Amino acid sequence: MKRKILCTLALIGAMSTQTFADNTMTVAIDGNNIADSSAVVEKGVTYISVRPVAEALGLNVDWASDTKTVTVSNNGPLYITFTIGENAYTFAKTAPMELSGAPVIIDSASYVPADVVTDLLNYEIVKEDNVLNIVTGADVSVEDDTASGEAVENENTENENTSEDAAISEQNEGTGTVKEVSDTEILFEDEAMGEVRLNKSDDVKVTDEEGNAVDIDSIEEGTKLIVEYGDVMTRSLPPLNNPVSITVCKADDESYIGTGVVTEVSEDEILINDEVRGEVRLNKSDDVKVTDEDGNAVDIDSIEVDTKLTVEYGKAMTMSIPPLNNPVSITVLK
């Protein structure tokens, strides 16, 4: 659930370089002023200086001058990018999203709408007189009334969760189905929590239900998983997690029909390039029913490279790459 900024925000068009002098506010974290930071309001939108506030929250800020792109990260799953003048914010490799305004340059410094803090970092912001206070829900102790990155980092370590985060982290395990797979993440539909993005780290222990090791890259859409979540769940939507372990469950359906072309044949196996699943190794068992399109019996050893097949797969599909299957039947197409 997104937290709300306790002051009025309105939509504003994209801006590039601006200078504001009469409506500048101080920015604080849990009541502690942030050195060299400021906030301004333009046409109802509150803009906050990026670098001093992000660094005070323990985050890293990188600036690419050639593209005018800013990256805010924590050397972990939190990864925000945006480009000056473009209302398109990317959080941890999600699709770009619009907020209440585009990033701007004010007096040679980058500024973003306050909802970057409220919607992406999920902190509450309270406007009190001429101070914009970012509420993290922790007791931050800093010297000279300045919140340093080190202080906030310690605060985050000792008080990891607001009540909302605590509720998330209490769920250590989830069961659900894979909705989407990329090179770096698995989009997982948890039956209780909804969508969760799983980081495909080398540290994740992945096995089948019998405890056999499984290649994480072999996990496909529609696969049922049991996930042991890591302690930290980002506040993005969907949240991103570094799972401790993933258990790949057996498919519920008895068989699956696929069509593809034979790319390789050996004495014991047929390698088929399934139009949906990709490469699959078919075991040339005596139990496989092999026919042509008219239902006439075909010798499985007569199947050659470049032959097009329709395969009724057996229920058990190994998680190797390519997977091995004991097909129920094979139809040789003309």
Side-chain angles (χ1 to χ4, degrees):
M1 180 182 295
K2 297 180 181 178
R3 299 175 180 231
K4 303 298 181 183
I5 180 171
L6 303 186
C7 60
T8 303
L9 295 177
L11 293 177
I12 183 173
M15 298 185 295
S16 55
T17 303
Q18 304 286 343
T19 300
F20 304 118
D22 300 330
N23 56 354
T24 302
M25 293 179 288
T26 301
V27 182
I29 296 178
D30 295 320
N32 300 283
N33 291 345
I34 305 171
D36 301 322
S37 69
S38 63
V40 298
V41 179
E42 174 68 8
K43 297 181 181 179
V45 177
T46 301
Y47 285 86
I48 298 176
S49 53
V50 176
R51 185 176 294 277
V53 173
E55 290 181 347
L57 288 168
L59 304 175
N60 304 315
V61 180
D62 294 310
W63 164 257
S65 58
D66 55 339
T67 60
K68 294 185 179 180
T69 299
V70 178
T71 301
V72 179
S73 65
N74 67 347
N75 295 322
L78 191 153
Y79 189 86
I80 300 171
T81 61
F82 50 86
T83 300
I84 301 302
E86 297 181 9
N87 192 350
Y89 299 82
T90 300
F91 188 102
K93 300 181 181 179
T94 58
M97 65 186 77
E98 288 190 1
L99 296 177
S100 59
V104 298
I105 299 292
I106 302 175
D107 294 333
S108 301
S110 301
Y111 281 67
V112 291
D115 45 4
V116 169
V117 176
T118 57
D119 290 10
L120 300 188
L121 297 179
N122 209 24
Y123 291 125
E124 183 178 285
I125 294 182
V126 180
K127 185 178 181 297
E128 301 169 341
D129 297 326
N130 202 40
V131 177
L132 206 65
N133 187 38
I134 300 172
V135 181
T136 67
D139 182 15
V140 181
S141 178
V142 292
E143 296 180 0
D144 300 326
D145 203 30
T146 300
S148 67
E150 181 180 357
V152 177
E153 184 176 356
N154 291 336
E155 164 250 308
N156 286 338
T157 302
E158 295 170 5
N159 297 282
E160 289 182 347
N161 301 314
T162 62
S163 59
E164 180 180 348
D165 288 331
I168 292 176
S169 64
E170 284 174 2
Q171 177 157 342
N172 296 323
E173 188 174 274
T175 300
T177 305
V178 175
K179 292 187 65 177
E180 188 176 324
V181 178
S182 71
D183 291 339
T184 57
E185 294 179 4
I186 296 170
L187 181 59
F188 176 63
E189 181 71 25
D190 188 299
E191 294 174 355
M193 293 175 59
E195 289 186 346
V196 179
R197 292 158 41 230
L198 306 176
N199 188 21
K200 294 170 69 174
S201 165
D202 293 335
D203 297 328
V204 184
K205 180 181 179 182
V206 186
T207 63
D208 60 20
E209 292 176 291
E210 282 75 42
N212 302 309
V214 173
D215 185 345
I216 195 169
D217 289 322
S218 69
I219 296 175
E220 303 174 332
E221 295 179 20
T223 304
K224 187 173 182 180
L225 306 178
I226 299 173
V227 178
E228 180 183 356
Y229 294 113
D231 293 334
V232 179
M233 187 83 72
T234 70
R235 301 173 183 182
S236 59
L237 293 174
L240 176 64
N241 185 264
N242 290 316
V244 175
S245 67
I246 295 174
T247 302
V248 179
C249 303
K250 292 180 180 178
D252 294 330
D253 57 331
E254 290 297 329
S255 63
Y256 168 84
I257 304 297
T259 299
V261 176
V262 176
T263 58
E264 189 176 324
V265 177
S266 69
E267 184 178 350
D268 300 318
E269 295 178 2
I270 297 170
L271 182 63
I272 182 175
N273 189 10
D274 188 296
E275 294 173 354
V276 176
R277 292 198 169 200
E279 289 188 335
V280 179
R281 291 154 49 222
L282 306 176
N283 187 17
K284 294 169 69 174
S285 165
D286 293 336
D287 297 328
V288 183
K289 180 182 179 181
V290 185
T291 62
D292 60 20
E293 292 179 282
D294 299 320
N296 302 309
V298 174
D299 186 348
I300 195 169
D301 289 322
S302 69
I303 296 175
E304 301 176 338
V305 173
D306 293 332
T307 303
K308 190 171 184 179
L309 307 177
T310 295
V311 180
E312 181 183 0
Y313 294 107
K315 181 177 180 180
M317 183 81 73
T318 70
M319 300 306 295
S320 59
I321 298 178
L324 176 64
N325 185 265
N326 290 316
V328 175
S329 66
I330 295 174
T331 302
V332 179
L333 305 180
K334 295 178 181 179

